[in-house]
Amino acid sequence: MIVIGNGRLVTRDKDRPFMENGAVVLDGPEIVRVGQTDQMRREYPEGEWIDARGGVIMPAFINIHEHIYSAFARGLSIHGYHPRGFLDILDGMWWTIDRHLTLEQTYLSAVATYIDCIKNGVTTIFDHHASFGHIGGSLFRIEEAAKKAGIRSCLCYEVSDRDGEDKARESVLENEAFIRHAQADDSGMIAGMMGMHASFTISDKTMELCAAHKPSGAGYHIHVAEGIEDLHACLRVHGKRIIDRLMDRGILGEKSLAAHCIYINKHEMELLRETDTCVVHNPESNMGNACGCPPTMELVHTGVLTGLGTDGYTHDMLESYKVANVLHKHHLCDANAAWSEVPLMLFENNAGIAARYFDRPLGVLKEGAAADVIVLDYIPLTPMDENNVNSHVLFGMSGRSVVTTVAGGKVLMKDRVLADLDEEKIMADCRQAAKELERSING
């Protein structure tokens, strides 16, 4: 049993949103009590005590769109890489990396990503993996890393015809095998989806193969209209817009997740809402790739369950919160845009999306919810209460404000020290693997 207290408790529970000197009591994987610190310590004197020292106690973050395989891109220089558009970025950087990844490099990429997640208070991720250099077993190696790190993970492999039908089929079978494995797992820490790259790299035949091998109860995780090229290809080849194609193929639905959705129209938004398909916004990635600004505010107002992800660009969800806040203000020339929509996406909708794959409630501190809790060393210089919490988060905190991370009732980091991972050894192994990957790519 663990008691985390002596802090400003931000619960995200509408019945009890904020406590000035609150505490949360964890018993195994779930929260059993929430209340005032003095009372919780009296009632649970045997519990391991974690002192927030007047900081903020809140639910851990959820990242709805990650790319573990991009970990070794940091600092990587690829000879001859000089992109002039989104397709050049995909082929010259990301597809080049994933074509050279070994299983061991995939595993180390995952461990490195999970360490960054822990340090930024992220305890649940939805990852979209690619390693066309070695497909079979790749999701299972990521699961090894997830279990080692203690991070809840929904995994998939991105199916694509870009390297031929044989590899597309192998990717489909990797998804099927992992989904079945995850569905048999009762830990509440792992789930699987049928991953897809994007409409323009997937033929009708391969989409049919995905449908034939997708186990019941799982949905699709697919990039949608991230670049204008994706839309143009769909119109040219299939005579319809992307969301219409996905609708016709049975890919939309409450268990499916559409990433990006930059080049979609009102009709497509309404289809996403009517099918209860989830969407995820990735602001830094869209800006960094010069893809454009999606109509995210309109998606939210249309009633589409829209979450916030990072696309592997960062592992700090508060960075993405800040960037999305200013991106949509700038894009819409509206100083009032994104004030309520982005925190809704991060703190409520991400939890709502995750609830479609994980049974125990996430993103909230209340009895029966998952024991996923973080402590931040933020001491406000102005009054803080339930009415201005998001303003304090936006302007006063960052992912590196997190000092303690607990997932599933297990302390993963305390006072910025990782509990069970040898960070120095892992980082040394990662640097060596990154050197080998660069040599493999550049020759």
Side-chain angles (χ1 to χ4, degrees):
M1 186 167 287
I2 300 171
V3 180
I4 305 173
N6 188 27
R8 293 168 175 86
L9 191 67
V10 179
T11 67
R12 301 293 168 185
D13 179 0
K14 292 178 181 178
D15 293 332
R16 291 187 295 179
F18 183 84
M19 294 184 193
E20 183 63 33
N21 187 15
V24 57
V25 182
L26 318 178
D27 188 6
E30 74 175 14
I31 295 169
V32 293
R33 286 293 300 278
V34 175
Q36 293 296 321
T37 295
D38 290 346
Q39 181 183 357
M40 294 302 99
R41 293 205 73 183
R42 283 196 304 270
E43 292 186 16
Y44 300 93
E46 75 283 5
E48 176 187 349
W49 169 243
I50 295 179
D51 189 351
R53 301 185 183 94
V56 172
I57 306 166
M58 59 191 288
F61 298 115
I62 302 163
N63 186 347
I64 296 296
H65 188 65
E66 258 280 18
H67 279 304
I68 279 171
Y69 83 89
S70 68
F72 293 162
R74 192 179 304 175
L76 174 64
S77 177
I78 297 177
H79 296 168
Y81 177 62
H82 184 65
R84 288 178 169 81
F86 182 53
L87 296 184
D88 288 347
I89 292 171
L90 287 178
D91 192 44
M93 173 63 75
W94 304 117
W95 296 350
T96 296
I97 290 172
D98 81 54
R99 285 167 178 145
H100 288 82
L101 281 173
T102 65
L103 277 180
E104 182 64 15
Q105 288 164 354
T106 290
Y107 170 78
L108 289 170
S109 296
V111 178
T113 298
Y114 287 133
I115 286 175
D116 267 356
C117 287
I118 292 168
K119 287 186 168 183
N120 287 284
V122 177
T123 60
T124 300
I125 71 166
F126 280 60
D127 188 67
H128 199 277
H129 178 62
S131 56
F132 278 84
H134 204 134
I135 299 168
S138 58
L139 297 183
F140 293 87
R141 290 308 309 271
I142 293 174
E143 183 198 16
E144 285 182 45
K147 288 184 174 180
K148 184 180 182 71
I151 299 297
R152 186 179 292 97
S153 302
C154 182
L155 307 178
C156 71
Y157 190 99
E158 69 170 45
V159 175
S160 171
D161 289 309
R162 63 180 180 257
D163 283 351
E165 288 189 4
D166 289 345
K167 289 196 173 183
R169 180 176 181 80
E170 188 179 359
S171 304
V172 171
L173 297 180
E174 177 71 3
N175 278 317
E176 180 184 22
F178 188 79
I179 292 168
R180 295 192 187 283
H181 166 75
Q183 289 179 338
D185 184 281
D186 62 359
S187 68
M189 297 295 288
I190 202 76
M193 301 179 76
M194 179 63 71
M196 292 175 144
H197 175 249
S199 172
F200 79 97
T201 69
I202 308 171
S203 67
D204 286 346
K205 179 180 178 181
T206 296
M207 284 195 174
E208 290 170 3
L209 188 68
C210 288
H213 287 272
K214 182 184 69 65
S216 176
Y220 298 89
H221 189 165
I222 180 171
H223 299 97
V224 174
E226 183 178 4
I228 191 67
E229 299 88 349
D230 193 11
L231 173 58
H232 288 168
C234 199
L235 291 169
R236 183 177 64 254
V237 176
H238 304 285
K240 62 186 72 172
R241 296 182 69 91
I242 295 169
I243 296 297
D244 287 312
R245 183 186 182 210
L246 300 183
M247 178 71 175
D248 292 345
R249 288 286 163 186
I251 290 170
L252 303 182
E254 65 175 6
K255 285 297 193 78
S256 290
L257 181 59
H260 303 294
C261 291
I262 298 176
Y263 295 97
I264 62 172
N265 62 18
K266 185 65 176 178
H267 156 74
E268 290 173 291
M269 293 183 205
E270 290 169 353
L271 269 182
L272 289 165
R273 182 196 64 216
E274 289 167 8
T275 56
D276 200 16
T277 304
C278 305
V279 170
V280 57
H281 176 38
N282 306 276
E284 296 102 322
S285 176
N286 296 161
M287 295 173 73
N289 289 332
C291 286
C293 180
T296 308
M297 300 301 98
E298 189 175 357
L299 275 163
V300 173
H301 298 157
T302 300
V304 177
L305 184 60
T306 306
L308 191 66
T310 69
D311 206 32
Y313 197 98
T314 180
H315 311 297
D316 180 353
M317 294 308 299
L318 293 185
E319 176 187 309
S320 294
Y321 179 3
K322 295 173 194 292
V323 173
N325 178 65
V326 295
L327 168 61
H328 294 286
K329 284 177 168 58
H330 177 75
H331 177 69
L332 297 170
C333 297
D334 180 359
N336 292 311
W339 281 120
S340 60
E341 295 91 345
V342 177
L344 172 72
M345 292 157 58
L346 175 58
F347 298 120
E348 293 186 35
N349 292 358
N350 278 11
I353 294 169
R356 299 185 177 194
Y357 278 88
F358 298 103
D359 291 335
R360 203 180 300 276
L362 301 171
V364 63
L365 303 184
K366 67 177 183 180
E367 289 82 358
D372 288 21
V373 187
I374 57 176
V375 177
L376 302 94
D377 63 356
Y378 177 73
I379 309 295
L381 61 87
T382 58
M384 182 176 179
D385 58 34
E386 63 269 24
N387 298 310
N388 65 10
V389 161
N390 290 341
S391 180
H392 280 277
V393 173
L394 179 62
F395 295 109
M397 305 178 195
S398 72
R400 292 303 171 120
S401 300
V402 176
V403 292
T404 295
T405 301
V406 180
K410 181 180 179 182
V411 178
L412 307 183
M413 179 178 72
K414 185 176 180 181
D415 297 328
R416 295 297 296 174
V417 177
L418 298 178
D420 296 322
L421 296 174
D422 185 345
E423 184 176 6
E424 185 176 349
K425 171 66 164 57
I426 291 168
M427 290 302 107
D429 290 344
C430 285
R431 285 189 288 272
Q432 181 59 38
K435 285 182 181 179
E436 293 169 0
L437 176 65
E438 184 172 11
R439 282 197 295 268
S440 175
I441 291 173
N442 290 324

